[in-house]
């Protein structure tokens, strides 16, 4: 705000008043001149009297202008005097306050909103260096052109120890027998991975690579998570490294019984962050860049699940407490493969059916139960038979399927062919799958 001196204000007012008086007088003179020019011819005497009258008017006008100039000059001198006194007083008193106009140079530079509000990018910057890409290859089948083992599945994991220990899902690394694991680091280096521990009940596994000084991810806590909290899912879907999706936590504890998962006792984290098949095993991180879950499965866009990190900590604690020299694959070998078709299933409980019907207007209205296929292993019998992710299995060999346990029971039988009735979108169709006997 600019402060104007009172004397300068007086001077400006005097000048404006003088200009106003001058303008008024000039307009009066012009009006009178115009009026007189239109008057008829007068006598000599009348003309003489009028001349003296006009001279009196001009004399008064000149006097007014002179007085206006004198007053203006006096006001200007008074302004100069006051300015000199103000300057001397300001120099004599060091604490005299100064007033000045605020200019652009005085303002601070505006802070970038990208740095203030890109909290997702901040979390990714912390956690992404520890995320790895896992490729699972079948040693019994080779590519026709390269003669390399055929890639049957992909997944993700994250490094939890700098000497090469990686945490991931069990279904990522043991989804098919006779497989080998290849680990690709974010810097492009590739190492063979060795599966050390597998726990099918918790769907967790550890893989190790022979490399040191690797970046690690800090493990957070899942017990204090809140519904609506921002989370970020990282992984490598479709072999695309470090793919990032974000969302919020929909439910902090979704019991595995509600999902119809067989042999599991886990309260899953439900999130609307997109988790695709390649994201499985990757971390679900909070805004501090800490892993608070392990991405596990996607039901439909907006409905995905992750294993709480507190559950994974318990799994790691049991590993560390196991006696030295024991078979580190013992937990994984406890899971017996009888007949194999190569799918990962999810029971359609009433709660999941309700959410699917709300989110997907193409969901078949006649479906009241069954099993959702959310992953198909490439090269597996189910893949060869034509099953696809998103298919809903309602019957196998004429028997109604109500949950995933019904499918496992049918695999114990010795039927060589499974006629599977499925809904794909709103179309009902049948595919034929020939299970593999993995006990031979």
């Amino acid at each position: 705000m600019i402060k104007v001196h009172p004397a300068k204000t007086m001077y400006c007012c005097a000048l404006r008043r003088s200009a106003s008086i001058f303008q008024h007088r000039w307009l009066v003179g012009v009006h009178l001149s115009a009026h007189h020019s239109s008057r008829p011819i007068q006598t000599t005497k009348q003309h003489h009297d009028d001349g003296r009258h006009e001279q009196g008017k001009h004399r008064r006008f000149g006097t007014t202008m002179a007085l206006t100039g004198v007053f203006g000059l006096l006001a200007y001198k008074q302004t100069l005097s006051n300015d000199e006194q103000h300057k001397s007083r300001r120099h004599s008193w060091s604490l005299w306050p100064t007033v000045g106009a605020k200019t652009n140079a005085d303002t601070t530079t505006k802070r970038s909103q990208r740095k203030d509000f890109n909290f997702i990018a901040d979390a990714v910057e912390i956690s992404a260096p520890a995320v790895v890409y896992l490729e699972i290859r079948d040693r019994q089948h080779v590519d026709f052109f390269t003669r390399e083992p055929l890639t049957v599945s992909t997944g993700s994991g994250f490094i939890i120890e700098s000497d090469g220990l990686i945490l991931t899902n069990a279904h990522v690394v043991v989804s098919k027998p006779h497989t080998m694991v290849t680990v690709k680091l974010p810097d492009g280096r590739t190492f063979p991975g060795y599966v050390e521990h597998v726990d099918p009940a918790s769907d967790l596994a550890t893989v190790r690579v022979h490399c040191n000084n690797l970046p690690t991810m800090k493990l957070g806590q899942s017990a204090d998570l809140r519904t609506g909290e921002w989370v970020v899912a990282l992984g490598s879907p479709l072999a695309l490294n470090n793919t990032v999706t974000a969302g919020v936590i929909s439910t902090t504890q979704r019991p595995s019984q509600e999902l119809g998962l067989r042999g599991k006792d886990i309260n899953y984290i439900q999130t609307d962050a997109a988790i695709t098949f390649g994201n499985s095993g990757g971390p679900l991180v909070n805004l501090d860049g800490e892993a608070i879950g392990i991405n596990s499965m996607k039901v439909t866009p907006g409905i995905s699940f992750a294993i709480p990190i507190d559950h994974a900590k318990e799994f790691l604690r049991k590993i560390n407490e196991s006696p030295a020299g024991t078979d580190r694959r013992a937990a994984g070998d406890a899971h017996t493969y009888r007949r194999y078709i190569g799918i990962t299933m999810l029971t359609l409980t009433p709660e999941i059916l309700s959410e699917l019907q709300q989110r997907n207007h193409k969901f078949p209205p006649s479906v009241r139960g069954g099993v959702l296929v959310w992953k198909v292993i490439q090269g597996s019998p189910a893949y060869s038979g034509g099953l696809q992710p998103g298919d809903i299995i309602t019957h196998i060999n004429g028997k109604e399927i109500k949950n995933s346990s019904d499918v496992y029971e049918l695999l114990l039988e010795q039927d060589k062919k499974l006629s599977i009735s499925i809904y794909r979108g709103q179309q009902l169709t049948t595919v034929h799958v020939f299970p593999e006997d993995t006990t031979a």
Side-chain angles (χ1 to χ4, degrees), residues 1-14:
M1 178 176 180
I2 301 176
K3 182 176 181 182
V4 182
H5 198 276
K8 292 183 179 180
T9 305
M10 183 186 300
Y11 175 61
C12 293
C13 292

Side-chain angles (χ1 to χ4, degrees), residues 226-302:
R226 299 177 297 167
T227 300
E229 184 174 342
W230 278 101
V231 288
V232 183
L234 290 88
S236 303
L238 304 177
L240 303 175
N241 290 352
N242 287 341
T243 298
V244 177
T245 57
V248 298
I249 293 177
S250 305
T251 304
T252 57
Q253 292 186 343
R254 178 73 72 184
S256 57
Q257 292 79 9
E258 292 186 13
L259 305 181
L261 297 177
R262 180 185 182 187
K264 293 179 174 57
D265 187 16
I266 305 173
N267 291 327
Y268 286 87
I269 300 171
Q270 181 177 339
T271 176
D272 64 356
I275 296 177
T276 58
F277 305 122
N279 284 106
S280 294
L284 186 70
V285 304
N286 58 21
L287 296 185
D288 292 330
E290 302 171 337
I292 50 89
I294 299 94
N295 303 327
S296 183
M297 68 185 82
K298 166 193 171 183
V299 178
T300 192

